[in-house]
Amino acid sequence: MSHLLFPHLCNGCGSDLINGYHLICLKCYQHLNETGFASLPGNPVEKALWGRLMCNNAMSQYYFTKDSLLQQLIHQFKYKDNKELAHYFGTLMGETLQASARFQVPDALIPLPLFPDKEYKRGYNQAALLCEGIAAVLQVPVLNNAVLRTRYTTTQTHKTRMERWQNVEGVFMCAANTELQQKNILLVDDVITTGATIEACGNAILEDVPDVQLSIATLAYAAA
């Protein structure tokens, strides 16, 4: 009866859903282009970071293309307050990581931080919501305040590779009371393109914390 009064609609196309767990219908899900990177050593995300960031493994769940269904769904949880959708995608990432023979279960998850003013205006950090979904599957803690973003940066969209790197250089630092030493950390973000932001954040962690192991997971990979 509750399904009739409050129908569960697909976040992609608006069609009625039967399975209450999923937030997108099977037809829409089939339009999401999975990468398989979690099981692929030397995948494009790892290649993008070679020589720039020392990480154990890196993966993205889906390929990102302009004007795609995935772009529409990311826009919903990034700018339209659809927090449930971000958590849902996080659980899918968690299931993929759990099934991967390459990724060890991390000791903790770190969401790529937003500048505090930006997070305050948005009301949340979308990377933190993805982390919560991953954590629900892997049963590990999310360290929301372990890494700080120390200044505001303009959007990376439409910048060249060099401009992206210059835009985020020196932006991140670990909090003074962060206890990451000798831990296996998974750094999480929504989309990776050139990897400049992930690189800056990951290197800040490696420089500030001795004996830390770092891996990367993003929801989407957009070829630069």
Side-chain angles (χ1 to χ4, degrees), residues 4 9 19 23 36 42 48 70 75 82 87 107 114 116 122-123 126 143-144 165 168 193 206 213:
L4 296 176
L9 303 179
N19 189 333
L23 298 183
L70 181 60
H75 186 82
N82 194 341
H87 187 279
D107 296 312
L114 290 176
R122 185 173 296 173
Q126 71 277 0
L143 305 180
N144 285 305
W165 184 84
V168 294
T193 305
L206 295 176
Q213 298 292 315

Side-chain angles (χ1 to χ4, degrees), residues 131-220:
C131 279
E132 290 173 8
I134 297 171
V137 177
L138 300 184
Q139 296 296 297
V140 295
V142 180
L143 305 180
N144 285 305
N145 300 309
V147 182
L148 309 175
R149 196 170 190 137
T150 58
R151 62 178 169 84
Y152 176 80
T153 55
T154 56
T155 179
Q156 297 283 67
T157 307
H158 306 307
K159 284 182 168 60
T160 65
R161 183 183 293 269
M162 180 57 69
E163 288 170 339
R164 287 171 183 254
W165 184 84
Q166 292 171 337
N167 192 42
V168 294
E169 184 182 10
V171 166
F172 302 98
M173 65 176 291
C174 288
N177 60 347
T178 298
E179 297 183 1
L180 299 180
Q181 189 171 353
Q182 297 182 333
K183 284 186 168 57
N184 178 14
I185 301 301
L186 183 68
L187 180 60
V188 177
D189 199 14
D190 53 356
V191 182
I192 186 170
T193 305
T194 64
T197 309
I198 287 285
E199 174 191 355
C201 186
N203 277 322
I205 296 171
L206 295 176
E207 289 167 8
D208 290 349
V209 183
D211 301 323
V212 68
Q213 298 292 315
L214 185 69
S215 293
I216 307 297
T218 73
L219 177 64

